[in-house]
Amino acid sequence: MGRAPLRIWRRLLPTSGPVSGSRWLMLGSSTSPATLSRTMTRGNATVPAMEMTKWFDTNYHFIVPELGPNTKFSYASHKAVNEYKEAKALGVDTVPVLVGPVSYLLLSKPAKGVEKGFPLLSLLSSILPVYKEVIAELKAAGASWIQFDEPTLVLDLDSDKLAAFSAAYAELESVLSGLNVLVETYFADVPAESYKTLTSLSSVTAYGFDLVRGTQTLGLVTSAGFPAGKYLFAGVVDGRNIWADDLATSLSTLQSLEAVVGKDKLVVSTSCSLMHTAVDLVNETKLDSEIKSWLAFAAQKVVEVDALAKALAGQKDEAYFAANAAAQASRKSSPRVTNEEVQKAAAALKGSDHRRGTNVSARLDAQQKKLNLPILPTTTIGSFPQTVELRRVRREYKAKKISEEEYVTAIKEEINKVVKLQEELDIDVLVHGEPERNDMVEYFGEQLSGFAFTANGWVQSYGSRCVKPPIIYGDVSRPNPMTVFWSKTAQSMTSRPMKGMLTGPVTILNWSFVRNDQPRFETCYQIALAIKKEVEDLEAGGIQVIQIDEAALREGLPLRKAEHAFYLDWAVHSFRITNCEIQDTTQIHTHMCYSNFNDIIHSIIDMDADVITIENSRSDEKLLSVFREGVKYGAGIGPGVYDIHSPRIPSAEEIADRIDKMLAVLDTNILWVNPDCGLKTRKYTEVKPALTNMVSAAKLIRTQLASAKCAIRPR
């Protein structure tokens, strides 16, 4: 068995989810893999897209495989092998990365029509022959290492699930013979029983651990021991954030591990795939030089890993380590990081739960008297299509090719177009379409203190969609109103209620690169106070409906159940802070999308929003099962009636059928009708007919409800 070269492990390619790289190897079909994958992710005229959800607690999404007792697995795509061969032909010996068989099954779901409790792991014996084929072909192509990602090992797994790992890798042992086999975990600590199971796999040569987010795993290695002769891949360099590594601290950690596992068996690594961070700091020519010295993107993280590996081998680059220590000291002492006024305001939040003074049912009554909405009110989630012309206007304004007056005129014209369209469609509560916004987090970060921005710090979210997360480097405050002008402008164009659109503090936090020098909840409270000022200014400006999106609240939920309560407490509290002092007649909406919300429904209720709109259609209406099981929800709620991430246009009948299903478990007077998410990524040729059908469906159900009510009236 060969050694890992240079005791360094570089993981730059996307390896974190079932839709990237070779993740769809198990899907058999006569259709080409590319066509099949496109249909699964986008749907077509007759088949809706498959469910999309977050990859663990990241902002990366994956398409959830749908399996059943009759699923037949076959080796459908040779992408992993072809890419290995392509790299080898260029003189680069790479490590193929496959999602492990057990994690693949555990992250799947029973297909529609399959019994809810179907044991997905019962398919293990059916899927392993395909893995054997892939492994055999990679061996034949010359691969000496193979990496299996088994991130589900960081979750709370029962003994049956742990036994599946033992069974799977025992079954694969013969075909893995002669290979170096790495099983990689990431994003959290590995529980003690999972650690014991993993390190007992005889067919595995190496074990990888995230030692940034999984600090307790370090204690397991040193206290529970490590199998002799095996490699430990120590993920000491953070693969999910953009801060330069504290090399002195990491080197100390590595030296303590070296004493346990042996000098030749310790491999320096990033904590996870580097797909979750930006690519190269060299591309950031306009970033503030002081802040830039504190950062490391993917390319720089590889250099850090290399420097640590060499230092461990006695070849320490003293100048590089000294420069790193100076940057660490600069960040700690920089006055731009700390704002005493902000810290005092955040500290003063302790001791109150920041709830509105009136319960939600009384507030809804007061709001209805003012808004006078029909039953099953219709609305959209916020954004409208971002056209080529609209992006051109923003780009030219940023480049100072057009004046501020020209820019404002162009944006007002776009808002007016969106308002008139919604009025023509007869939507009840309108939005301004967000034409001035590049991104729902970046737009706010650009107007808050304590944030920095990259020019090219793109990170993949799903498919070809990438985001450019802001960098939170210091204490956060709001110097000036951020959205009030545009919301008031839009409201002046219509007599219908116009929603003020804000991104909530938890989502801004979870979709940014967050400072790591203070607890995340402290930063979140600071953002909450900034958003609170904006909410109050919108209300003062005559905006009667304000939506505070918390699309990423579920995403930040820790992977271990023991840590859920603490996170949900401060996350929900942060949301309540934003709107705790507004009038009963001002209606607060929030929105969540593309996650499994059923296990946190009580925390969602505790947010105390007046109305929540939430993804529902793409996940096969999984959300509704919570209400079937008896959860009582008294606030307004709008489970999405159609999937906006697919170009497919649902019929009015299909949407009406969805509304009927919702009315089977939700009261008529609290149900809203809306899409799953914002319309930014869609075209107007898709949006107009879809919204037309949505409004038609709502009116149809209203008519049916009115007829049924008349039919039972006493004569």
Side-chain angles (χ1 to χ4, degrees):
M1 300 296 237
R3 289 180 56 195
L6 293 177
R7 296 162 26 134
I8 174 175
W9 208 252
R10 298 174 175 137
R11 286 183 276 129
L12 279 171
L13 297 177
T15 62
S16 290
V19 294
S20 65
S22 56
R23 304 311 195 185
W24 286 110
L25 282 171
M26 314 322 164
L27 288 165
S29 172
S30 57
T31 310
S32 74
T35 300
L36 182 62
S37 180
R38 187 164 54 250
T39 303
M40 290 187 298
T41 56
R42 292 167 60 85
N44 58 31
T46 57
V47 180
M50 294 171 67
E51 179 182 357
M52 181 170 69
T53 196
K54 300 293 177 71
W55 182 248
F56 292 81
D57 58 349
T58 75
N59 191 27
Y60 182 72
H61 299 67
F62 73 101
I63 302 298
V64 182
E66 298 175 8
L67 310 176
N70 299 318
T71 300
K72 304 295 182 187
F73 298 101
S74 64
Y75 189 2
S77 170
H78 295 251
K79 192 172 188 289
V81 178
N82 292 338
E83 290 181 349
Y84 172 79
K85 289 179 178 178
E86 181 182 356
K88 191 174 182 181
L90 295 171
V92 182
D93 190 15
T94 59
V95 178
V97 182
L98 307 174
V99 69
V102 181
S103 289
Y104 179 89
L105 293 176
L106 290 178
L107 294 170
S108 301
K109 70 174 186 178
K112 204 165 187 178
V114 174
E115 187 179 347
K116 184 179 178 182
F118 171 70
L120 292 163
L121 288 176
S122 66
L123 297 172
L124 191 60
S125 60
S126 301
I127 204 172
L128 289 177
V130 181
Y131 273 89
K132 289 180 180 179
E133 288 185 71
V134 180
I135 294 164
E137 192 173 355
L138 285 169
K139 281 177 70 174
S144 59
W145 280 84
I146 291 182
Q147 176 178 320
F148 293 100
D149 280 4
E150 292 282 13
T152 54
L153 278 165
V154 305
L155 304 178
D156 299 302
L157 301 179
D158 58 33
S159 57
D160 288 342
K161 291 184 176 69
L162 291 176
F165 287 95
S166 301
Y169 287 91
E171 178 65 23
L172 294 174
E173 186 161 11
S174 60
V175 71
L176 291 173
S177 177
L179 287 170
N180 286 295
V181 179
L182 166 64
V183 172
E184 186 66 53
T185 67
Y186 38 76
F187 298 157
D189 286 301
V190 176
E193 285 303 309
S194 299
Y195 178 83
K196 182 178 178 181
T197 297
L198 175 59
T199 54
S200 66
L201 301 177
S202 59
S203 60
V204 175
T205 318
Y207 312 100
F209 302 112
D210 181 341
L211 300 181
V212 176
R213 291 182 175 238
T215 52
Q216 294 178 31
T217 303
L218 184 64
L220 275 177
V221 174
T222 54
S223 63
F226 192 77
K230 300 294 181 82
Y231 291 101
L232 170 61
F233 282 63
V236 292
V237 173
D238 192 349
R240 284 185 59 175
N241 215 329
I242 42 68
W243 302 107
D245 187 65
D246 184 339
L247 295 178
T249 299
S250 292
L251 183 59
S252 175
T253 298
L254 291 166
Q255 288 168 337
S256 67
L257 287 170
E258 190 176 55
V260 177
V261 305
K263 195 159 191 170
D264 295 333
K265 297 298 180 182
L266 183 62
V267 182
V268 184
S269 176
T270 54
S271 63
C272 62
S273 164
L274 294 176
M275 71 173 291
H276 302 291
T277 190
V279 177
D280 197 340
L281 198 55
V282 171
N283 298 325
E284 302 303 327
T285 56
K286 297 181 180 179
L287 193 61
D288 178 277
S289 58
E290 182 182 28
I291 294 175
K292 191 174 180 178
S293 72
W294 304 339
L295 308 180
F297 290 0
Q300 288 70 46
K301 291 178 186 294
V302 172
V303 175
E304 290 178 336
V305 169
D306 188 41
L308 287 166
K310 288 177 178 176
L312 204 57
Q315 303 168 35
K316 185 178 180 183
D317 185 336
E318 296 290 352
Y320 182 74
F321 271 70
N324 175 266
Q328 298 290 325
S330 163
R331 185 177 166 211
K332 289 177 182 177
S333 61
S334 176
R336 67 197 306 174
V337 171
T338 305
N339 182 321
E340 288 187 13
E341 185 179 340
V342 171
Q343 291 192 348
K344 286 180 182 177
L349 294 172
K350 296 174 182 176
S352 171
D353 62 3
H354 296 90
R355 293 182 184 275
R356 293 169 75 179
T358 310
N359 65 47
V360 69
S361 61
R363 297 198 309 262
L364 288 174
D365 287 343
Q367 292 155 14
Q368 179 58 16
K369 288 176 183 176
K370 192 169 185 179
L371 298 173
N372 193 29
L373 297 173
I375 61 168
L376 308 181
T378 55
T379 191
T380 64
I381 303 305
S383 61
F384 264 64
Q386 296 262 324
T387 62
V388 172
E389 174 63 18
L390 186 55
R391 289 194 295 269
R392 181 193 64 77
V393 169
R394 284 205 310 266
R395 186 170 60 249
E396 290 185 354
Y397 177 61
K398 193 171 185 179
K400 299 182 179 180
K401 292 182 179 180
I402 61 174
S403 67
E404 182 175 1
E405 183 180 354
E406 290 172 308
Y407 170 74
V408 170
T409 298
I411 296 299
K412 282 183 176 179
E413 288 175 356
E414 181 68 20
I415 291 173
N416 188 58
K417 182 179 79 172
V418 169
V419 169
K420 297 307 179 192
L421 173 61
Q422 292 172 92
E423 287 183 328
E424 290 168 11
L425 294 171
D426 204 16
I427 291 173
D428 300 303
V429 176
L430 310 190
V431 298
H432 77 290
E434 305 177 11
E436 78 284 10
R437 304 184 190 183
N438 47 7
D439 176 83
M440 66 182 288
V441 173
E442 186 174 13
Y443 175 80
F444 289 93
E446 286 174 341
Q447 301 180 78
L448 295 168
S449 64
F451 281 74
F453 298 88
T454 64
N456 299 289
W458 297 101
V459 178
Q460 186 183 17
S461 179
Y462 60 88
S464 60
R465 177 167 170 73
C466 296
V467 294
K468 193 151 57 70
I471 298 167
I472 305 177
Y473 68 85
D475 290 334
V476 178
S477 63
R478 187 204 71 150
N480 299 295
M482 302 179 286
T483 67
V484 177
F485 172 78
W486 296 117
S487 292
K488 288 175 66 175
T489 297
Q491 184 64 80
S492 71
M493 297 175 178
T494 181
S495 60
R496 301 188 184 207
M498 174 64 63
K499 282 197 282 189
M501 300 299 305
L502 304 175
T503 301
V506 184
T507 296
I508 290 176
L509 182 88
N510 285 335
W511 285 356
S512 298
F513 290 124
V514 183
R515 59 190 293 190
N516 59 0
D517 59 344
Q518 70 177 15
R520 288 173 70 89
F521 71 85
E522 291 186 12
T523 302
C524 198
Y525 284 157
Q526 293 177 2
I527 302 170
L529 288 171
I531 299 299
K532 179 176 182 288
K533 290 183 178 181
E534 189 72 11
V535 169
E536 291 166 359
D537 281 352
L538 282 168
E539 182 184 60
I543 304 302
Q544 301 173 54
V545 182
I546 302 170
Q547 182 169 307
I548 308 167
D549 283 347
E550 283 297 11
L553 187 138
R554 174 63 173 78
E555 178 183 309
L557 191 70
L559 301 179
R560 304 291 296 283
K561 290 179 181 177
E563 301 168 17
H564 286 190
F566 177 67
Y567 167 79
L568 289 169
D569 179 67
W570 64 255
V572 169
H573 187 192
S574 295
F575 177 83
R576 289 201 306 264
I577 288 168
T578 65
N579 60 92
C580 62
E581 294 184 7
I582 64 165
Q583 300 172 27
D584 288 353
T585 51
T586 299
Q587 190 167 84
I588 295 296
H589 289 222
T590 190
H591 172 69
M592 298 181 183
C593 56
Y594 300 105
S595 283
N596 181 7
F597 302 106
N598 294 26
D599 56 347
I600 64 164
I601 190 65
H602 293 288
S603 294
I604 292 173
I605 294 171
D606 198 39
M607 292 170 72
D608 199 28
D610 297 310
V611 178
I612 179 170
T613 53
I614 197 163
E615 183 275 326
N616 173 66
S617 63
R618 187 153 187 169
S619 58
D620 293 331
E621 298 157 350
K622 183 167 36 179
L623 173 71
L624 299 186
S625 65
V626 161
F627 304 108
R628 294 189 190 100
E629 291 163 6
V631 171
K632 297 298 180 185
Y633 192 75
I637 184 167
V641 296
Y642 80 90
D643 174 26
I644 64 87
H645 286 294
S646 169
R648 180 176 175 272
I649 299 167
S651 67
E653 292 74 21
E654 180 182 329
I655 295 175
D657 181 61
R658 278 216 166 95
I659 297 171
D660 275 333
K661 290 179 180 176
M662 296 171 190
L663 288 172
V665 293
L666 294 167
D667 291 340
T668 308
N669 62 338
I670 67 169
L671 184 62
W672 284 63
V673 177
N674 47 262
D676 262 349
C677 203
L679 304 171
K680 177 180 179 179
T681 60
R682 299 267 57 89
K683 299 174 182 177
Y684 273 104
T685 53
E686 300 159 347
V687 167
K688 289 180 183 179
L691 291 181
T692 297
N693 292 346
M694 183 187 82
V695 174
S696 296
K699 289 181 176 179
L700 173 65
I701 301 298
R702 287 175 194 161
T703 301
Q704 291 174 353
L705 290 171
S707 298
K709 190 174 181 180
C710 289
I712 60 173
R713 265 188 204 153
R715 298 184 181 230

